[in-house]
Amino acid sequence: MHDFKYKNSELFCEAVRVGDIAKKVATPFYLYSYNTLLGHFHKLRKAFGSLKPLICYSMKANSNLSICRALTKAGSGLDIVSGGELYKALLVGCSPKKIVYASVGKTEEEIRQAIAKQILFFNVESYPELELINKVAKDLNVAASVALRINPDVEPKTHSYITTGKLTNKFGIDFDTAYTILTHRKKMRHINFNGLHMHIGSQIIDAQPYIQAVKKLLGFIQKLRKEAIPIEYLNIGGGLGIIYNNEKPQTADEFAKKIVPLLKNTGLKIILEPGRFIVGNAGIVVTKILYVKKTPLKNFVIVDAGMNDLIRPSLYGAYHDILPLRPSTIDHRLSTKYDVVGPICESGDFFAKDRILPKVNEGDFLAIMSTGAYGFSMASNYNCRLRPAEVMIRGNKSFVVRKRDSYLDLVRKDVIPEFLK
Ligand code: LLP
């Protein structure tokens, strides 16, 4: 599943002792395993191999340039949601013909840039957006390629904040509206309608809602084809869940076994846009225990990482395993319930509540597991904290792939007007 393993009672990432990196690079920092990253990409590609899909890694999960470059070099395309992600996608050498662009709020400028770069297509989320793309394409005297993002109204059984495929969500276009758009498509003279897109949510454990959504879209495509409305691409989105705690998500193979037969012989070009599945288990946060604080009611382990570095527990109540780097130094008979918390001035700043951990001491290092996806990409400078460094391991070598912020980074963009000087 991943390349973070204990050897002789010490946590290793591939062939490197994580403790050695912790001594070299000050904590907290993100640590990525190149092998795990590529392993997951290839696993998915192999599972869906018979469809020869285009896999567009969803950059929002982790847009570190080295992560994106590694995947691009392995043949991945990229799923983007902003002008910033387009900029980074092109910087890592991704072919525009492998870039798909979703987002309910694309600005005119972002649309213009993406059309100018000739990306594969926009995943269009509303009629007004389509009108704007048509107008911008007309200004540029070109035709823009789009896939309509369908909201299939299914329940993906995940956290409500990351459910996207129900009609109460802001995402996508309902079937009836999509039908009306497609039957009147000739009115949009600067749009090529290339396909359909869906993305029903994230951290989906059960394949059933996914299957239901794919079937709904395939039924719709049949109806369209009967009316001579051609659909070339079907983008089935991302959302594959991973193991954080004791979930039993579908493996890539199990998932593919259920989905591939539905899509075989449809003549459709298939796109997948996974983020978490590829990068989630390929990263950890390494943090140091600053204090162990006992109060009349609680034991707090106060670490040097905070919710600004990793917001998932605070925002979604997400579970992440927390492992000591050197369990041998720890007395397992003295296991205690701890709240593992950061230094930030909010009670929401926690990584675990009432978690049973072996007795830990000040100065010990801990690994917060499975934080490769939506970890650094959601980090901030809240409390004027420096966003952490990111390090990548490949075999027995380590590479700093992003330096820790500096104090100068904190003030670089601030401007004090003359009257305050
Ligand atoms: N495609 C679209 C259109 C998306 O909105 C997303 C994720 C993906 C693909 C990739 O989904 P994945 O394969 O990673 O599940 N911050 C949350 C997750 C937000 C997901 C947003 N959209 C978290 O930490 O759980």
Side-chain angles (χ1 to χ4, degrees):
M1 197 180 73
H2 60 69
D3 290 83
F4 297 93
K5 300 229 160 50
Y6 284 116
K7 286 183 208 161
N8 303 324
S9 277
E10 294 206 62
L11 190 67
F12 273 70
C13 174
E14 302 191 18
V16 175
R17 195 180 286 116
V18 177
D20 288 349
I21 307 291
K23 277 179 214 147
K24 261 201 280 183
V25 180
T27 51
F29 62 92
Y30 276 88
L31 188 65
Y32 305 124
S33 157
Y34 174 84
N35 194 38
T36 310
L37 177 75
L38 268 283
H40 280 95
F41 175 72
H42 289 304
K43 221 181 259 180
L44 203 61
R45 185 147 75 174
K46 193 159 159 255
F48 281 86
S50 62
L51 297 176
K52 297 202 170 57
L54 173 61
I55 298 180
C56 292
Y57 164 66
S58 192
M59 277 181 85
K60 62 179 82 61
N62 187 324
S63 63
N64 178 282
L65 290 184
S66 299
I67 298 262
C68 296
R69 174 75 185 146
L71 292 167
T72 300
K73 274 185 86 175
S76 183
L78 294 170
D79 157 46
I80 64 166
V81 284
S82 67
E85 286 192 350
L86 175 61
Y87 173 75
K88 285 176 105 174
L90 297 172
L91 205 62
V92 298
C94 184
S95 157
K97 285 287 151 243
K98 288 185 174 180
I99 295 177
V100 290
Y101 188 166
S103 162
V104 293
K106 303 170 187 87
T107 66
E108 182 164 344
E109 188 47 34
E110 286 174 323
I111 290 169
R112 195 177 302 280
Q113 285 162 6
I115 293 178
K117 295 296 175 193
Q118 298 184 309
I119 63 164
L120 182 58
F121 52 70
F122 293 98
N123 292 320
V124 170
E125 309 243 10
S126 67
Y127 186 70
E129 179 194 328
L130 195 58
E131 283 183 309
L132 182 58
I133 295 176
N134 188 50
K135 173 190 157 300
V136 175
K138 185 173 174 215
D139 290 351
L140 296 172
N141 201 21
V142 292
S145 296
V146 309
L148 295 185
R149 176 172 180 173
I150 301 293
N151 183 324
D153 198 24
V154 296
E155 169 57 69
K157 298 184 211 150
T158 185
H159 193 289
S160 65
Y161 285 13
I162 51 177
T163 294
T164 51
K166 291 177 69 180
L167 282 181
T168 45
N169 302 132
K170 66 180 172 180
F171 300 96
I173 301 172
D174 64 277
F175 283 111
D176 287 347
T177 308
Y179 182 72
T180 309
I181 291 172
L182 288 168
T183 45
H184 294 85
R185 67 193 183 287
K186 301 262 158 64
K187 278 207 290 195
M188 298 274 182
R189 294 163 57 100
H190 291 268
I191 301 278
N192 282 332
F193 288 90
N194 283 35
L196 298 181
H197 170 235
M198 62 170 239
H199 173 77
I200 58 172
S202 196
Q203 184 57 12
I204 300 170
I205 299 298
D206 179 3
Q208 214 42 48
Y210 222 103
I211 293 172
Q212 205 189 337
V214 168
K215 281 186 175 162
K216 279 187 167 187
L217 264 80
L218 287 174
F220 185 54
I221 289 171
Q222 261 179 5
K223 175 172 157 178
L224 296 172
R225 281 178 170 170
K226 270 193 202 129
E227 301 186 23
I229 300 174
I231 296 291
E232 189 183 358
Y233 285 94
L234 176 59
N235 179 342
I236 61 171
L240 274 74
I242 63 167
I243 300 174
Y244 285 104
N245 187 7
N246 47 18
E247 302 93 340
K248 299 229 164 14
Q250 310 279 314
T251 63
D253 278 336
E254 286 164 354
F255 189 72
K257 251 183 218 140
K258 292 180 182 155
I259 302 286
V260 170
L262 302 175
L263 299 174
K264 270 232 114 146
N265 306 321
T266 54
L268 292 163
K269 293 182 182 157
I270 303 300
I271 297 182
L272 277 81
E273 43 183 38
R276 190 190 313 265
F277 180 86
I278 291 177
V279 76
N281 283 325
I284 63 174
V285 171
V286 181
T287 184
K288 189 165 79 180
I289 300 179
L290 298 174
Y291 304 102
V292 179
K293 172 173 171 176
K294 289 184 196 308
T295 71
L297 293 182
K298 286 268 190 186
N299 296 307
F300 291 103
V301 168
I302 302 171
V303 297
D304 63 1
M307 66 191 279
N308 71 298
D309 303 304
L310 172 69
I311 203 172
R312 301 196 71 257
S314 314
L315 194 55
Y316 315 111
Y319 179 98
H320 288 270
D321 252 351
I322 298 184
L323 302 177
L325 295 198
R326 297 180 63 199
S328 58
T329 59
I330 281 161
D331 191 340
H332 286 266
R333 292 164 309 172
L334 299 175
S335 290
T336 314
K337 263 191 195 169
Y338 291 103
D339 279 15
V340 181
V341 302
I344 286 179
C345 312
E346 298 210 25
S347 294
D349 179 28
F350 63 87
F351 297 114
K353 291 213 160 161
D354 292 324
R355 182 77 58 88
I356 297 186
L357 293 177
K359 183 178 180 303
V360 288
N361 298 302
E362 289 169 10
D364 288 346
F365 293 111
L366 297 175
I368 310 177
M369 305 301 290
S370 306
T371 46
Y374 308 107
F376 189 91
S377 64
M378 295 178 82
S380 75
N381 292 114
Y382 186 41
N383 277 205
C384 285
R385 286 170 50 80
L386 308 179
R387 279 176 305 166
E390 295 174 281
V391 181
M392 184 183 274
I393 301 292
R394 183 176 180 222
N396 59 6
K397 296 223 158 50
S398 68
F399 307 87
V400 174
V401 291
R402 191 179 203 279
K403 294 180 198 155
R404 182 182 314 283
D405 283 347
S406 66
Y407 286 147
L408 194 57
D409 291 330
L410 292 180
V411 296
R412 213 183 281 281
K413 300 284 163 59
D414 284 28
V415 180
I416 301 180
E418 264 321 301
F419 81 95
L420 287 175
K421 285 185 182 157

